[in-house]
Amino acid sequence: MNAAESYAARIDAITEQRTRLVGEDDPGDRWSAAARRFRMDPRRELDANLHTVASYVEPDDAVVDVGGGAGRVCLPLALHCRAVINLDPSPAMGVEFEASAAGAGIANARFICSGWPAAETVEGDVVLSANVTYFVRDIVPFVHALEASARRRVIITVWSIPPPSQNAELFQIVYGEAETIAPSYRELLPVLWDLDILPEVRVLPNPFHDGTQQPATREEAVTAALQRLRAGEDQRARKAVEDRFDELFSSGPDGFRALWRPDVRELLITWEPRRRR
């Protein structure tokens, strides 16, 4: 089994486990309920991680953001380049993206509701995909499409432990089995190497923070834990969290802090597309 086949097998194992324990995902827009949470102020001061991404972008660039969601990354970049194009299959993310751009007075950004590879030809000087590859089963066509669309540079960012898998300890407690971890850099880099892509890899300075406030009460903490597992209506899961609450949370002046969340760092993986060299 080569690296791409192993990557696909990992995605299949996640889907099988999730379906068996929780049930099938809604076939509609999976991000509709959470889209608002991914919206951030485009005119905020860039943190160290996003500043590093922005350092690869030049003022005259067009940037394509594949799976850009509500514009958390590409809308701040729009303030530093000629144009951004956000391709994302979620209509709910598109609504948040367009509202965020309008609210910030950003006119050089547009949204295309599309998966990737896209049905239409889309090109940019820089093609970016941030926190998307964890969900991509057919990773080779995805990477080929990034290269084909990039005139100067491809950028992929991933977290060392993907956000969908940062609750693995909680998952084990609730379901009684180890969670299948989503693919990240350990799985992606061998795929790139098999494609004769030798990227630059940088570990970015800021640790992961999802931006959510700590729950103020025990009930809110339990509910938040179940939401992380998308198990809000599962009474068996609720009882498991309640029974082991004191080992899952610590109480402080800011509320209840989740003790199972690991320390996570962001990695930037970038290369010049070979057809442009």
Side-chain angles (χ1 to χ4, degrees):
M1 186 179 293
N2 63 28
E5 291 168 341
S6 295
Y7 202 100
R10 178 73 67 94
I11 298 289
D12 288 343
I14 292 168
T15 302
E16 182 281 327
Q17 184 182 54
R18 187 79 200 169
T19 300
R20 174 169 48 84
L21 295 175
V22 183
E24 294 186 4
D25 285 334
D26 188 326
D29 184 354
R30 65 179 293 179
W31 300 106
S32 59
R36 182 64 181 84
R37 183 165 61 85
F38 289 90
R39 182 170 160 183
M40 298 178 69
D41 179 7
R43 294 188 177 274
R44 68 189 185 277
E45 183 178 354
L46 300 186
D47 65 25
N49 292 12
L50 188 50
H51 186 271
T52 302
V53 174
S55 70
Y56 290 94
V57 176
E58 299 177 0
D60 197 41
D61 279 348
V63 175
V64 175
D65 190 357
V66 175
R72 178 183 62 86
V73 173
C74 64
L75 285 177
L77 295 181
L79 301 172
H80 302 274
C81 68
R82 176 170 55 86
V84 299
I85 304 169
N86 178 4
L87 286 94
D88 195 286
S90 167
M93 288 291 194
V95 170
E96 297 298 339
F97 174 87
E98 290 173 349
S100 185
I106 295 174
N108 63 334
R110 67 186 178 102
F111 182 87
I112 299 175
C113 191
S114 172
W116 189 261
E120 62 181 280
T121 300
V122 180
E123 288 194 342
D125 302 285
V126 176
V127 176
L128 162 74
S129 188
N131 293 305
V132 173
T133 53
Y134 324 123
F135 309 103
V136 178
R137 183 184 187 278
D138 298 321
I139 191 64
V140 170
F142 185 92
V143 170
H144 281 326
L146 295 179
E147 275 211 311
S149 297
R151 287 189 282 269
R152 196 181 74 251
R153 181 162 294 278
V154 178
I155 298 174
I156 296 174
T157 67
V158 295
W159 290 96
S160 55
I161 302 175
S165 302
Q166 290 176 10
N167 301 294
E169 183 177 339
L170 177 64
F171 187 101
Q172 173 89 49
I173 288 172
V174 168
Y175 295 113
E177 64 181 73
E179 182 178 23
T180 303
I181 304 302
S184 185
Y185 69 98
R186 292 181 180 87
E187 294 74 30
L188 179 60
L189 288 174
V191 172
L192 299 180
W193 295 332
D194 281 356
L195 295 174
D196 292 326
I197 296 171
L198 301 177
E200 173 190 1
V201 180
R202 300 177 65 173
V203 179
L204 301 181
N206 284 2
F208 181 86
H209 179 59
D210 64 8
T212 59
Q213 290 186 334
Q214 293 181 7
T217 67
R218 289 176 67 96
E219 177 61 26
E220 289 174 359
V222 171
T223 299
L226 296 175
Q227 288 174 343
R228 290 185 183 279
L229 296 180
R230 287 186 287 162
E233 302 303 319
D234 187 331
Q235 294 304 309
R236 181 175 63 89
R238 175 171 291 274
K239 185 176 187 309
V241 174
E242 290 173 344
D243 287 349
R244 301 179 67 171
F245 186 91
D246 291 339
E247 65 184 272
L248 290 172
F249 294 95
S250 66
S251 177
D254 296 324
F256 289 91
R257 181 173 67 87
L259 296 176
W260 70 84
R261 302 301 295 277
D263 293 328
V264 184
R265 296 287 292 279
E266 190 172 19
L267 285 85
L268 183 147
I269 301 168
T270 183
W271 69 95
E272 298 175 15
R274 290 164 295 177
R275 69 184 182 90
R276 302 293 185 182
R277 290 175 184 169

